[in-house]
Amino acid sequence: MSENKTNENAAPDQELSELLKIRRDKLKALQEEGRDPFTQTRFERSAYSTEIKADYDAFDGKTVKVAGRIMSKRGMGKAIFCHIQDDRGTIQIYVRKDAVSEQEFADFRKYDIGDIIGVSGFVFKTKTEEISVHVESVTLLSKSLRPLPEKFHGMTSTELKYRQRYVDLIMSDDSRRNFEIRSKFISYVRSFLDGRGYMEVETPVLNTISGGATARPFITHHNTLDIDMFLRIATELNLKRLIVGGIERVYEIGRIFRNEGMDTKHNPEFTTVELYQSYADFNDMMDLFEDLLSGAAMQILGTYKCAWQGEEIDLTPGWERLTMAEAVKKYVGVDFMAIEDDASAVAAAKAAGVDMDKVEPTWGHALYESFDQLVEEKLIQPTFITMHPVDVSPLAKRSPKDPRLTERFELFICRSEMGNAFSELNDPIDQKQRFLKQVELRAKGDDEAGMMDDDFINALEYGMPPTGGLGIGIDRCVMLLTGASSIRDVILFPTMKSLDGVNKKNDVNNTASEAPEKNVKTESEKIDFSKVKVEPLFEEFVDFDTFSKSDFRAVKVKE
């Protein structure tokens, strides 16, 4: 049984190997004849496929130069029909033996699907009324050495589609459409904000402190400075420094990196737009977000309605707005606003079925966990959830009406968070206390908790005006507009686990930064851990029996 299965798997590989050899033999023959296609440096195209098909009367009978990839080919007698695909669509070309040179026709018969060609000829319609180009000259511009997937089935492996996006884009119109919509959405966001007086800026990706969000960062090392640095988990703190500096409306569209789990909604690197506006609050940010996303849908899709994750979503302005406590009361039946103390709040959450293990037993955490575990999954149509507990909102301003809450909202659509916004905290004393709370949580083992940023406190002490801030997940919004079920469908090159041997070939993760000299035996340096002093921050977390498998680092200190 296993032998038969091995033979079955070997057959396609053998067939592919033969096809690769045939294509390389064709290339070799061309090169030996001095007609290497890879020496071609340019082709002067005069028209695209869609232009010709959209305005046939203007092109009828006129000579055009078109270029593209051969996607289909039929007929091997005195006439050959092909479809070539360019950046904007496909068009049929017609090659007759008596219309091109003998060499060109002989060569064209040997061309493969996937080859890239440039042709010159006149536009006409076939007997079946298909708009085509009657070829008068043809040039091979690039030889495809690998066969494309069969057109009808396309790329059947989802993982391969993500690993080889270049093939996916050739074969799938839907994938191409997703990324065209993504590009249009980002352009719309820029135009929307520029039109409202916002200034686009760029802030560092590498930082000495990880801050602006609660997330586990990626850590790298700067060799010249000999310091560890963090890839940013948010752009927030630097943008608010610019608010302090007097740039009253500022935004950045940029890549964010979080060393966390991966699923259909999360990729370790993703794109956000963060924006801040002086003299505004979270209500202004709600209005802006609603205008932006609904306007993008109308401009890009031509409608406020779209299908996503099996639901019909209506983005018509006028979205529901609920406080977190109101949402929990509506969907769970627990009125946290009627509960005063921590113990009663935790008890009420547990009674409703909320898992409070490993969660700080406070009123705020009980409210948040109740929402997160029991309510979020019920939010289908656009809904703003406002007034989050201060316990989970270290950068948001407290509500003047209830100091347990903050002026913060998150937008949910189809069970997914689309964006996060605050009335920004501008009290440096309160901010420092919240940073210290995050440091305390970090010391207890929460690797997503924030760090102390003394320079940001210093900036706030110069005075920051009342400010509204908003962060929007670009990828999630594109998923909504395209109907994509996975974030990987809207990121051109999503993070993937390396294939076996890839890292080894590239000397990645070698134990030494430099290879030892040949024939020299090396031994790992033995460290006497009896003289190692553990930083108080990590005393409870270092187990020397498993030290080598942990994330901690031993530093040799000169005596």
Side-chain angles (χ1 to χ4, degrees):
M1 179 74 177
S2 60
E3 184 178 348
N4 290 338
K5 188 173 182 179
T6 301
N7 290 336
E8 289 175 6
N9 291 335
D13 291 339
Q14 184 177 359
E15 183 180 345
L16 176 60
S17 179
E18 291 173 357
L19 288 172
L20 295 178
K21 184 178 183 304
I22 291 170
R23 293 195 176 210
R24 278 163 174 74
D25 288 344
K26 290 181 179 180
L27 173 62
K28 184 178 180 181
L30 288 170
Q31 290 172 332
E32 289 175 348
E33 294 169 7
R35 297 186 291 121
D36 185 351
F38 296 123
T39 61
Q40 298 288 336
T41 57
R42 70 188 303 268
F43 180 83
E44 189 175 349
R45 174 166 42 195
S46 65
Y48 285 90
S49 58
T50 51
E51 294 174 338
I52 297 169
K53 294 162 80 171
D55 194 7
Y56 172 72
D57 291 339
F59 284 96
D60 184 18
K62 293 184 178 178
T63 298
V64 296
K65 290 183 177 181
V66 295
R69 186 185 299 274
I70 299 174
M71 298 302 294
S72 69
K73 186 180 179 187
R74 67 187 189 277
M76 293 299 291
K78 295 182 179 180
I80 302 173
F81 287 94
C82 285
H83 281 90
I84 62 170
Q85 177 176 286
D86 61 22
D87 184 52
R88 303 177 188 180
T90 62
I91 191 166
Q92 180 172 265
I93 64 170
Y94 175 59
V95 185
R96 282 185 59 88
K97 185 176 182 179
D98 59 3
V100 295
S101 71
E102 183 177 342
Q103 182 69 64
E104 284 177 316
F105 192 76
D107 288 344
F108 193 81
R109 293 182 62 176
K110 298 176 184 178
Y111 292 167
D112 296 303
I113 291 176
D115 288 352
I116 298 173
I117 61 174
V119 304
S120 176
F122 60 88
V123 177
F124 78 112
K125 281 186 179 180
T126 64
K127 294 179 181 179
T128 58
E129 292 293 301
E130 182 169 356
I131 298 171
S132 308
V133 176
H134 193 297
V135 177
E136 295 174 317
S137 68
V138 57
T139 304
L140 180 63
L141 302 174
S142 182
K143 180 66 186 170
S144 173
L145 299 180
R146 285 187 173 273
L148 293 174
E150 196 273 313
K151 180 65 177 175
F152 180 76
H153 295 99
M155 296 188 77
T156 55
S157 169
T158 301
E159 181 176 348
L160 191 61
K161 178 174 72 171
Y162 301 141
R163 290 189 183 279
Q164 298 184 7
R165 181 69 77 187
Y166 38 91
V167 181
D168 175 46
L169 291 172
I170 293 171
M171 302 304 299
S172 173
D173 292 337
D174 289 339
S175 286
R176 178 62 180 253
R177 172 183 175 272
N178 285 353
F179 294 108
E180 288 174 348
I181 288 177
R182 181 187 179 98
S183 178
K184 289 177 181 177
F185 179 68
I186 293 174
S187 294
Y188 180 87
V189 170
R190 279 199 168 92
S191 176
F192 181 94
L193 295 175
D194 290 347
R196 285 159 177 74
Y198 284 81
M199 175 178 170
E200 183 175 10
V201 299
E202 294 174 292
T203 61
V205 171
L206 291 175
N207 295 280
T208 55
I209 292 174
S210 176
T214 53
R216 183 179 181 182
F218 284 96
I219 304 173
T220 187
H221 188 78
H222 194 297
N223 290 336
T224 301
L225 297 179
D226 194 23
I227 58 172
D228 284 346
M229 300 191 77
F230 303 92
L231 274 67
R232 66 185 181 192
I233 58 173
T235 54
E236 178 167 343
L237 299 185
N238 279 327
L239 293 178
K240 288 200 283 193
R241 285 178 171 93
L242 298 178
I243 290 287
V244 172
I247 302 177
E248 296 185 355
R249 298 188 181 206
V250 64
Y251 77 95
E252 179 172 8
I253 298 174
R255 211 69 159 174
I256 302 299
F257 307 86
R258 296 183 181 178
N259 197 356
E260 301 175 335
M262 296 167 59
D263 56 32
T264 56
K265 295 180 182 178
H266 298 88
N267 193 65
E269 57 175 309
F270 56 98
T271 305
T272 67
V273 54
E274 284 200 47
L275 59 101
Y276 295 86
Q277 179 179 333
S278 300
Y279 312 110
D281 68 0
F282 78 128
N283 291 298
D284 298 303
M285 295 297 103
M286 269 191 282
D287 294 339
L288 184 147
F289 197 177
E290 186 170 321
D291 289 346
L292 187 155
L293 191 51
S294 62
M298 180 56 68
Q299 178 164 312
I300 297 170
L301 304 179
T303 176
Y304 287 126
K305 296 184 178 180
C306 54
W308 189 31
Q309 300 182 45
E311 306 286 351
E312 184 73 24
I313 306 301
D314 187 353
L315 298 175
T316 303
W319 301 347
E320 185 174 18
R321 303 183 180 190
L322 295 171
T323 68
M324 185 173 286
E326 289 171 344
V328 170
K329 183 177 180 181
K330 177 179 179 179
Y331 291 102
V332 182
V334 177
D335 186 2
F336 276 88
M337 300 310 293
I339 301 174
E340 296 292 334
D341 62 289
D342 292 339
S344 298
V346 171
K350 289 182 177 179
V354 177
D355 181 5
M356 291 294 293
D357 288 346
K358 299 181 181 179
V359 176
E360 196 171 358
T362 65
W363 180 90
H365 281 286
L367 170 58
Y368 176 78
E369 292 298 329
S370 297
F371 171 82
D372 186 58
Q373 296 180 34
L374 302 178
V375 178
E376 185 175 324
E377 63 185 15
K378 297 179 172 64
L379 302 178
I380 306 300
Q381 297 304 323
T383 306
F384 288 111
I385 299 297
T386 67
M387 310 305 288
H388 294 221
V390 69
D391 310 54
V392 295
S393 309
L395 296 168
K397 181 172 286 191
R398 293 178 188 267
S399 167
K401 299 178 182 178
D402 190 333
R404 299 175 299 179
L405 302 174
T406 60
E407 291 194 343
R408 174 187 176 188
F409 77 76
E410 289 178 323
L411 172 65
F412 289 89
I413 301 177
C414 205
R415 301 172 288 271
S416 298
E417 178 201 337
M418 309 301 290
N420 189 17
F422 311 143
S423 291
E424 299 296 335
L425 178 61
N426 60 346
D427 179 347
I429 298 173
D430 189 358
Q431 181 65 81
K432 186 170 184 177
Q433 292 302 313
R434 297 199 209 179
F435 275 161
L436 290 171
K437 181 66 174 177
Q438 290 292 302
V439 171
E440 181 183 330
L441 292 174
R442 195 173 187 85
K444 292 179 179 179
D446 184 352
D447 56 7
E448 293 188 355
M451 301 178 182
M452 173 60 71
D453 190 336
D454 291 315
D455 181 74
F456 182 67
I457 299 299
N458 188 63
L460 290 185
E461 288 176 347
Y462 279 94
M464 185 176 89
T467 299
L470 169 62
I472 301 172
I474 294 290
D475 310 289
R476 294 269 181 92
C477 291
V478 176
M479 287 175 67
L480 168 66
L481 296 175
T482 60
S485 59
S486 171
I487 192 171
R488 293 183 175 187
D489 291 324
V490 298
I491 295 177
L492 279 167
F493 302 104
T495 303
M496 304 288 289
K497 186 176 181 179
S498 296
L499 295 172
D500 292 343
V502 171
N503 283 345
K504 187 176 181 181
K505 288 179 184 177
N506 292 287
D507 292 329
V508 176
N509 292 333
N510 281 354
T511 55
S513 59
E514 295 182 3
E517 294 180 14
K518 292 182 179 179
N519 303 321
V520 177
K521 294 183 179 180
T522 59
E523 292 183 5
S524 298
E525 181 182 1
K526 294 181 180 179
I527 301 174
D528 180 7
F529 284 108
S530 65
K531 297 181 181 180
V532 171
K533 182 179 180 182
V534 180
E535 286 287 338
L537 186 63
F538 302 111
E539 275 182 335
E540 297 177 8
F541 306 103
V542 177
D543 178 1
F544 282 105
D545 292 333
T546 59
F547 189 90
S548 62
K549 299 178 182 179
S550 73
D551 289 334
F552 301 99
R553 183 178 300 172
V555 180
K556 187 176 181 181
V557 181
K558 292 183 179 179
E559 296 181 356

